[in-house]
Amino acid sequence: MGFVLLGVVVWLTRIEDWRSYTPLAGGSGAVSEESGYAHEEKPGGIIRWFTTVDHKDIGMLYGAYAVIAFSVGGIMVMLMRAELIAPATDVIGAEFYNSLLTSHGITMLFLFGTPVLAAFGNYFIPLLIGADDMAFPRINAIAFWLLPPGALLIWGGFFTAPIASLDIVPAQTAWTMYTPLAAGVGSGTQANVGVDFMLLGLHLTGVSATMGAINFIATIFTERGPDVNWANLDMFSWTMLTQSGLILFAFPLLGSALIMLLLDRNFATTFFAAGEGGGPILWQHLFWFFGHPEVYILVLPPMGLVSLILPKFSGRKLFGFKFVVYSTLAIGVLSFGVWAHHMFATGIDPRIRASFMAVSLAIAIPSAVKTFNWTTTMWGGNVKLTAPMLFCIGFVSNFIIGGVTGVFLAAIPVNLVLHDTYYVVGHFHYIVMGAIGFAVFAGLYYWYPIFTGKMYQRKLAKAHFWLSMIGTNLTFFAMLYLGYLGMPRRYATYDFPIGPVNIITVFHQIATLGALIIFVGQVIWVWNFVQSWYEAPSMEDVDPWNLKETGQFTHEWQWHERRTETAIADGGEDTESGATENQSR
């Protein structure tokens, strides 16, 4: 794999002047037709997507990749929920369940969560700040193309498992990869090379995220247009900038820990060996020093999306803009001081536990500031319940539930009772699906006219929202209650004495029903987007949300208006005028 990546880098360095190429909209065959505004052709068809360095094209690639990962992760969890309808393991079996459990978590966090936010960032941040492109277009392309081989390595065990002669099975370590289990100790399958594949795939995704973070930081610092300064920088760019800073500190540590784990597994080192070296607790410290900032790496840009979109349909500017910025920066700083609240049950010093409890409670304050600002923005505004706005409101309500349940887990006595139960699963998924997922859908619906030039079916979009909202609360509220009943997480069965089995069965069935409702909602979403993209008429209205009425016709919509009016090819340059305008690309 290393030789392949080295070959790709050498090949890229031999290609001259990629930035002179222009990605042309439409086009057929191997080469797009020449435009009067483009000074040089860019390959069309599939060759365009393999060779592009245009930020909008790469944003679309990230988006397509994230949708595929979201679909794979969704199918995995539907199989898991089918197993949990009844107490016994009578559908897919315990080992396959553990494989799905491991890959579902890694897929949704590393292959869907981070890439889908990179999709928004790549496509829209240069437009929002008035830049030509990302600061390093080639690095931008390389960062994306590290992800497909990473996914193949992470999912590799599923492809090779049917081939008995290879003896490679999917990893069953759970997404946290706790040692000594993940180090290959024990009589199970953890010494199998499928775990090594997964670790290598995770390493590639981490390198990709780090390269992207460097690019976002450089772009926002150096590529802003003359009318964009720190005082009027949009909230999405602020949150992507903060996220990128977190990635620079968090992901390299994960990469180092993964290398140490690979060395333990394959070269008999003792970084995480029980009784030797650093011991299993060292892995937990290293992993969660990355792992909890990762939660904010995933949730900060969705907060920025909501802060950007919600005012547009409230008919007024975001209330307390500066405080939302300050709270974003505060979350970024505090996020590195809370990791050990995942380790309260490990027996660490009570004084250390108390300090981490204090910071874990304190980090709720800047999140609450944002929540009050969003609520106040709507309170004094003229709310329009479009699909993007519905998903923003859904984000706020789900985020409140996820946040409040997290405050309880930050308290040591409560944490010791609920640790490793379904309560933790419900809390986490209220944030990941109920908040992050809803903000992603809000962004997709809000900017759909820009990246397609068309409009989706509004009734189907609202059906998607209501199915997602009902399903999310059915599924994850049931999990919170299962946690109170003592149901442990990561079990393929509950056919053993843990509590009132009949009641636990009912709540598992409610959670499965909710998951099915969510799944139907996402099928409607995919159908709506694809069918509208291919069959809906092109929009002539460049202001579908009537943003000019409230003075919120921001840079990306201004770019869309100029593109529509001048018919300049997407990403091209107006060489007839002899000058290139930053915001017209």
Side-chain angles (χ1 to χ4, degrees), residues 209-284:
T210 305
M211 294 172 72
I214 294 169
N215 215 347
F216 282 123
I217 292 171
T219 300
I220 294 172
F221 267 91
T222 66
E223 300 291 321
R224 300 193 310 274
D227 61 335
V228 179
N229 53 45
W230 294 114
N232 63 12
L233 184 67
D234 65 278
M235 272 310 308
F236 181 59
S237 296
W238 270 112
T239 53
M240 285 296 294
L241 180 63
T242 308
Q243 180 219 40
S244 299
L246 298 183
I247 287 174
L248 282 188
F249 285 98
F251 269 90
L253 186 71
L254 174 67
S256 301
L258 290 173
I259 290 173
M260 287 190 282
L261 184 54
L262 283 166
L263 291 173
D264 272 15
R265 291 176 54 83
N266 296 282
F267 295 98
T269 55
T270 58
F271 291 109
F272 308 117
E276 302 181 52
I281 296 299
L282 175 61
W283 170 264
Q284 292 193 35

Side-chain angles (χ1 to χ4, degrees), residues 91-375:
V91 178
I92 58 176
E95 285 198 3
F96 190 52
Y97 180 93
N98 292 338
S99 299
L100 293 175
L101 172 77
T102 301
S103 294
H104 165 74
I106 290 173
T107 296
M108 289 306 201
L109 293 176
F110 295 94
L111 305 184
F112 166 70
T114 309
V116 78
L117 301 176
F120 284 114
N122 272 281
Y123 198 107
F124 289 104
I125 279 184
L127 302 182
L128 286 164
I129 67 175
D132 292 359
D133 203 308
M134 297 292 286
F136 306 112
R138 296 187 188 182
I139 291 178
N140 204 23
I142 295 170
F144 169 76
W145 287 109
L146 289 175
L147 288 176
L152 291 176
L153 286 168
I154 290 169
W155 298 333
F158 292 101
F159 302 133
T160 56
I163 307 173
S165 60
L166 293 178
D167 191 28
I168 300 175
V169 298
Q172 300 177 34
T173 61
W175 77 278
T176 53
M177 298 164 284
Y178 275 4
T179 57
L181 184 69
V185 176
S187 59
T189 63
Q190 307 312 322
N192 191 274
V193 73
V195 179
D196 297 300
F197 281 176
M198 179 193 70
L199 298 176
L200 290 169
L202 277 174
H203 200 68
L204 284 182
T205 64
V207 173
S208 168
T210 305
M211 294 172 72
I214 294 169
N215 215 347
F216 282 123
I217 292 171
T219 300
I220 294 172
F221 267 91
T222 66
E223 300 291 321
R224 300 193 310 274
D227 61 335
V228 179
N229 53 45
W230 294 114
N232 63 12
L233 184 67
D234 65 278
M235 272 310 308
F236 181 59
S237 296
W238 270 112
T239 53
M240 285 296 294
L241 180 63
T242 308
Q243 180 219 40
S244 299
L246 298 183
I247 287 174
L248 282 188
F249 285 98
F251 269 90
L253 186 71
L254 174 67
S256 301
L258 290 173
I259 290 173
M260 287 190 282
L261 184 54
L262 283 166
L263 291 173
D264 272 15
R265 291 176 54 83
N266 296 282
F267 295 98
T269 55
T270 58
F271 291 109
F272 308 117
E276 302 181 52
I281 296 299
L282 175 61
W283 170 264
Q284 292 193 35
H285 278 294
L286 294 176
F287 180 83
W288 288 118
F289 189 83
F290 150 80
H292 204 84
E294 165 70 359
V295 175
Y296 296 102
I297 286 168
L298 291 173
V299 83
L300 279 174
M303 287 176 169
L305 285 173
V306 171
S307 300
L308 182 74
I309 297 168
L310 186 142
K312 305 297 191 293
F313 301 101
S314 299
R316 57 176 296 191
K317 299 286 181 66
L318 179 66
F319 179 84
F321 177 87
K322 288 184 179 180
F323 288 96
V324 179
V325 173
Y326 297 149
S327 65
T328 297
L329 300 176
I331 288 173
V333 172
L334 292 173
S335 66
F336 284 100
V338 300
W339 82 86
H341 72 225
H342 296 273
M343 303 170 58
F344 284 163
T346 61
I348 58 178
D349 191 310
R351 293 166 295 181
I352 296 176
R353 289 195 308 190
S355 66
F356 278 100
M357 180 179 73
V359 181
S360 299
L361 293 171
I363 202 170
I365 296 173
S367 298
V369 168
K370 292 178 182 292
T371 303
F372 283 118
N373 283 26
W374 296 323
T375 306

